[in-house]
Amino acid sequence: MNAALAWHSGAAGQPGPGRPSSEDNHLNAPEAGIWAVADGMGGHRDGALASAMLVEELHAALLPLAPLGQRVAAAQAAIGEAANRLSKMAGTGRSPGSTISVLLLGESHAVCLWVGDSRIYLRRNGTLFQLTRDHSLAQEMIDSGLIASAEEARAAQRSGLTRAVGAGATLAIDRVVVPVQAGDRVLICTDGVSTVVPAAAMVAALDSTPVEAAQALIKLAAEMGGFDDVTALVVAIDAAL
């Protein structure tokens, strides 16, 4: 039988250089075993609205004492409700949309839900694993063998999203379930972090406390020339006392 797990978390973020405010939003709810990062799109006003709406719906759906399966279903329904609200706005001439990446933790497993290119990483024993797969033109080009890396796609300015909440009439949410154990660290971040901070730097940053790690990643993104809004949310999983 797996030992009982406990977790604590921390988040940090800031607008891109020269931007008055960020289009990112996040949910940090360790008491409910759920965390999320959303990166808005569609112009600053609409992007900020879309990411905030997703976080609002997820927060309203919190089920702190429910089994993992029920919490996953509630999170999926919340994303769907936000998608419906955003789609209705499209008819008014506005175009709000957002990525979303959600982590839910249970006694021995984590569930990742996502739409878009905000990522979830797992660090275990010094190795970093990307749990999500980007819904982006760059990823499609990699899968088809047209390019070798996302860096090549960005150089060619071919890194647009192929899926987002609020974009299109249908919503497809990807999902993966992974076992977790004491000592694991999970990073949820927007592409403002993942596109500029190397994997080795992420691994090193995750040696710190969740708050310190999140702050270090935001600082690294700025030092490495990042121009986008940035959000990093770190969850530390340990044995329960």
Side-chain angles (χ1 to χ4, degrees):
M1 180 178 293
N2 292 331
L5 299 176
W7 45 75
H8 59 288
S9 55
Q14 66 183 26
R19 300 185 180 187
S21 59
S22 177
E23 294 180 63
D24 295 351
N25 273 283
H26 70 274
L27 174 65
N28 182 14
E31 73 284 356
I34 181 172
W35 300 262
V37 164
D39 183 354
M41 51 182 278
H44 181 78
R45 182 182 67 153
D46 284 350
L49 171 67
S51 63
M53 189 178 294
L54 271 163
V55 169
E56 173 189 296
E57 290 290 349
L58 285 167
H59 187 270
L62 291 183
L63 298 170
L65 301 179
L68 180 59
Q70 291 183 23
R71 289 186 282 126
V72 170
Q76 290 176 312
I79 296 170
E81 178 59 28
N84 289 335
R85 291 173 62 187
L86 291 169
S87 295
K88 290 177 181 178
M89 295 180 66
T92 66
R94 300 176 65 179
S95 56
S98 180
T99 70
I100 186 69
S101 285
V102 183
L103 172 74
L104 299 107
L105 283 177
E107 294 182 356
S108 60
H109 286 78
V111 177
C112 302
L113 306 172
W114 76 97
V115 182
D117 64 353
S118 292
R119 293 181 179 179
I120 304 179
Y121 295 92
L122 171 70
R123 194 209 68 175
R124 176 175 293 167
N125 299 326
T127 301
L128 193 70
F129 303 92
Q130 183 178 329
L131 301 182
T132 55
R133 176 184 173 279
D134 294 349
H135 298 135
S136 67
L137 180 58
Q139 186 63 55
E140 290 190 353
M141 294 174 73
I142 292 169
D143 293 344
S144 64
L146 294 175
I147 58 174
S149 68
E151 287 73 19
E152 290 183 22
R154 286 192 292 274
Q157 297 183 338
R158 295 175 177 174
S159 55
L161 293 178
T162 56
R163 198 187 302 181
V165 180
T170 60
L171 173 67
I173 305 171
D174 276 5
R175 169 178 169 172
V176 66
V177 181
V178 296
V180 291
Q181 62 189 38
D184 286 347
R185 298 294 181 266
V186 182
L187 166 64
I188 315 170
C189 63
T190 57
D191 66 333
V193 175
S194 62
T195 56
V196 296
V197 179
M202 290 183 182
V203 171
L206 291 171
D207 278 332
S208 305
T209 67
V211 171
E212 291 171 339
Q215 292 173 341
L217 288 164
I218 296 308
K219 183 179 179 182
L220 280 168
E223 291 175 346
M224 293 179 177
F227 60 87
D228 201 356
D229 302 330
V230 285
T231 299
L233 199 163
V234 178
V235 183
I237 303 171
D238 294 301
L241 298 178

